[in-house]
């Protein structure tokens, strides 16, 4: 291709087709971990009523013992969650949160189960950002759940 120099001696413009390159992003996948609104009840009254019905019988104090065991499990698992967070052992952190989530659902502790789920999902994603805040929200939910259960 022959081009004629311009009158001002600048080189002629040449159109060069550039290949289309799709930009590649390496951003981590964000899993939805949005806590439910605060209107979420601390305890599910239907689950509590079913537990009371199922535990009536020969031992009149069995429901109270069940509540005490759950509160103790919540405290112990809370300590484990704190320890696993301290060492950033995300696999064990997710496992501890998962275990308590199941117990909380069985006990009707909806808010606590939700906070456990949030920790579990975040830890399984391998993302550390926001974990401290989720554990603080867990601690608040555990305290509120314990108070509500003791008030039954």
């Amino acid at each position: 291709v022959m081009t004629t120099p311009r009158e001002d001696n600048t080189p002629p413009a040449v159109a060069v087709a550039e290949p289309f390159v799709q930009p590649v992003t390496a951003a981590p996948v964000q899993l939805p971990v949005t806590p439910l609104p605060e209107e979420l009840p601390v305890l599910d009254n239907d689950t509590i009523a079913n537990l009371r019905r199922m535990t009536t019988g020969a031992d009149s104090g069995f429901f109270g013992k069940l509540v005490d065991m759950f509160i103790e499990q919540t405290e112990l698992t809370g300590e484990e969650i704190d320890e696993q967070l301290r060492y950033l052992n995300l696999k064990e952190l997710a496992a501890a949160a998962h275990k308590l989530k199941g117990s909380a659902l069985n006990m009707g502790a909806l808010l606590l189960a939700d906070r456990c789920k949030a920790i579990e999902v975040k830890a399984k994603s391998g993302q550390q950002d926001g974990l401290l805040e989720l554990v603080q929200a867990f601690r608040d939910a555990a305290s509120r759940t314990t108070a509500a259960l003791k008030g039954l």
Side-chain angles (χ1 to χ4, degrees):
V1 174
M2 296 202 57
T3 59
T4 333
R6 296 183 181 177
E7 290 181 18
D8 63 357
N9 288 329
T10 58
V14 178
V16 177
E18 294 190 25
F20 176 74
V21 177
Q22 178 89 19
V24 178
T25 59
V29 176
Q30 294 288 329
L31 299 175
V33 185
T34 343
L36 294 176
E38 285 302 316
E39 293 84 44
L40 186 65
V42 174
L43 297 177
D44 177 47
N45 292 329
D46 291 338
T47 302
I48 297 295
N50 286 336
L51 283 172
R52 282 186 185 273
R53 245 188 329 277
M54 290 178 2
T55 58
T56 56
D59 186 356
S60 61
F62 187 72
F63 179 76
K65 291 176 187 174
L66 187 65
V67 166
D68 290 342
M69 287 188 309
F70 177 75
I71 290 171
E72 182 179 354
Q73 180 190 11
T74 299
E75 291 170 359
L76 292 173
T77 305
E79 291 170 7
E80 183 179 353
I81 284 173
D82 288 342
E83 182 176 339
Q84 300 308 332
L85 178 63
R86 186 176 310 110
Y87 295 106
L88 291 175
N89 187 344
L90 300 183
K91 182 179 177 182
E92 293 300 319
L93 177 62
H98 176 79
K99 181 175 70 173
L100 185 58
K101 177 186 72 177
S103 296
L105 288 171
N106 288 332
M107 199 65 192
L110 299 180
L111 184 63
L112 183 60
D114 176 70
R115 299 312 187 246
C116 288
K117 178 182 177 184
I119 292 170
E120 177 188 7
V121 170
K122 181 67 110 170
K124 281 184 176 179
S125 77
Q127 298 176 6
Q128 298 172 17
D129 293 343
L131 269 174
L132 180 59
E133 292 80 8
L134 290 176
V135 171
Q136 289 169 340
F138 158 80
R139 280 280 175 211
D140 177 62
S143 175
R144 292 172 60 190
T145 300
T146 297
L149 286 171
K150 286 182 177 180
L152 293 177

